[in-house]
Amino acid sequence: MWKDERISKATFTRRDALKIAGAAGVMAALPWGGTPDAEAAAPTLKGPQGGGYYRFAIGDVEAVVISDGSLSFQPIQPTWAPEASKEELEGALRSAFLSADRLHLDVNTLLLKIGGELVLVDTGAGNLFGPALGKMPERLAAAGVQPAQVTAVVISHAHGDHFGGLLDGTGKPAFPNAAYFASKTEIDYWTGPDPDMSKLRIPEANKKVFATNAKRYLEAIKDRLTPVSAGQKILPGLEVLSAPGHTPGHIALLVSSGKETLLHAADTAHHHVLMFVHPEWTSAFDSDPTMGAETRRRLLDRAAADGLRVLGYHLPFPGIGHVRTVKGGGFEWTPEPWNWTS
Ligand SMILES: [Zn+2]
């Protein structure tokens, strides 16, 4: 058994540690011979997380989820699940071992390589939401991609955490060589004279900021912006699905290659517990909460019935997994295991 390489390596490490402890003139105080002294003190493990991107594939389509950062809401209500009683909300979160005080949402942009095209789906928040977001550009670079190499950008809907990264810090288009795609309904809604925001349950001043920013960013890319509709294929294997309610023209995407499929659900279900266990629970940001809940149930039903692989823009990074139905009419989010080899 002593020929086992792992064991001899462990023995060497232990002897080495003993030698160091001996040279420092300190009595071995720990069972394996090491001694925590000032010089050999372990470094802190606190600091920024590394990486921020996750590579995977859908058939022949190469893909990488690039985190733009994360959003935090405190208190949770009335922004999220305003129709739930305090007890129901706390019960749902606590049964999933989550804080009942603060809601955490990740922001997962997706880059696809389809044929020779590099397609970015949503851009993160840019500089619209403060320092916890806007990290997509540096992580895109870390993943080995320059903004000028991105040939298409799809915007699932015109909320700032999805379009803010369209412009760089100087207000110029961040992806100089890209064609842009968003649903016709969405473009018409935000660029029209008076978008109906009567069902949003946020302060009037915030509605104005939403509308002003959406118009400004859509105007900035309008020369290269192509309106799309449900059923349309932006590229072979990249199909637009209608998913209205969160905004009037909110879209989901179906990415297909060979036998593999990914349903990019965008903001159909923001939180992996609240809106799966209770698909009828909504968000104050929904332009039509009832329609949003219907869309959520329809898409989650389809994902569960067909066993579709799903990506959610705000689900825990990298936001890839499957959906199961559960007794009582709700759903369960089953995240995909992290795969180091993809
Ligand atoms: Zn969003």
Side-chain angles (χ1 to χ4, degrees), residues 71 157 159 161-162 246 267 270 313-314:
L71 284 161
H157 64 294
H159 278 170
D161 54 324
H162 297 254
H246 180 52
D267 279 17
H270 291 82
Y313 190 73
H314 291 299

Side-chain angles (χ1 to χ4, degrees), residues 219-273:
E219 289 281 334
I221 57 162
K222 72 172 181 205
D223 292 345
R224 294 187 182 198
L225 179 58
T226 301
V228 294
S229 319
Q232 196 171 332
K233 287 196 170 144
I234 294 172
L235 284 169
L238 183 62
E239 183 182 340
V240 176
L241 302 181
S242 169
H246 180 52
T247 64
H250 177 268
I251 54 171
L253 294 166
L254 205 58
V255 186
S256 318
S257 172
K259 288 181 181 161
E260 294 189 33
T261 302
L262 176 82
L263 169 63
H264 187 329
D267 279 17
T268 301
H270 291 82
H271 190 264
H272 66 293
V273 172

Side-chain angles (χ1 to χ4, degrees), residues 46-273:
K46 290 182 177 174
Q49 298 289 9
Y53 57 88
Y54 180 73
R55 301 181 194 279
F56 69 111
I58 308 123
D60 291 336
V61 173
E62 298 173 13
V64 53
V65 176
I66 301 163
S67 166
D68 191 54
S70 59
L71 284 161
S72 189
F73 295 86
Q74 189 175 24
I76 297 171
Q77 286 180 310
T79 306
W80 300 98
E83 46 283 280
S85 72
K86 195 169 182 292
E87 292 70 31
E88 284 174 318
L89 179 77
E90 289 186 1
L93 290 165
R94 293 223 165 99
S95 67
F97 309 101
L98 294 174
S99 162
D101 301 322
R102 181 188 289 255
L103 200 72
H104 175 93
L105 300 183
D106 276 336
V107 175
N108 303 319
T109 69
L110 173 68
L111 187 66
L112 301 165
K113 187 176 180 191
I114 303 177
E117 307 293 336
L118 274 188
V119 185
L120 182 65
V121 182
D122 290 331
T123 66
N127 59 10
L128 291 177
F129 281 62
L133 288 172
K135 299 183 185 304
M136 184 275 291
E138 70 196 60
R139 291 172 176 170
L140 183 75
V145 177
Q146 300 308 310
Q149 294 174 307
V150 173
T151 53
V153 177
V154 182
I155 299 296
S156 67
H157 64 294
H159 278 170
D161 54 324
H162 297 254
F163 66 64
L166 281 172
L167 303 182
D168 65 17
T170 66
K172 292 206 184 75
F175 303 97
N177 299 318
Y180 301 94
F181 301 87
S183 88
K184 181 175 187 323
T185 311
E186 191 73 356
I187 298 167
D188 290 349
Y189 174 78
W190 291 107
T191 58
D194 191 17
D196 177 8
M197 302 180 84
S198 58
K199 291 183 186 165
L200 272 91
R201 292 154 294 176
I202 60 174
E204 290 303 318
N206 293 6
K207 292 184 189 178
K208 284 211 178 75
V209 173
F210 271 46
T212 307
N213 280 338
K215 202 164 195 162
R216 180 158 75 88
Y217 279 69
L218 289 172
E219 289 281 334
I221 57 162
K222 72 172 181 205
D223 292 345
R224 294 187 182 198
L225 179 58
T226 301
V228 294
S229 319
Q232 196 171 332
K233 287 196 170 144
I234 294 172
L235 284 169
L238 183 62
E239 183 182 340
V240 176
L241 302 181
S242 169
H246 180 52
T247 64
H250 177 268
I251 54 171
L253 294 166
L254 205 58
V255 186
S256 318
S257 172
K259 288 181 181 161
E260 294 189 33
T261 302
L262 176 82
L263 169 63
H264 187 329
D267 279 17
T268 301
H270 291 82
H271 190 264
H272 66 293
V273 172

Side-chain angles (χ1 to χ4, degrees), residues 32-55:
W32 57 87
T35 303
D37 58 31
E39 261 178 68
T44 180
L45 299 184
K46 290 182 177 174
Q49 298 289 9
Y53 57 88
Y54 180 73
R55 301 181 194 279

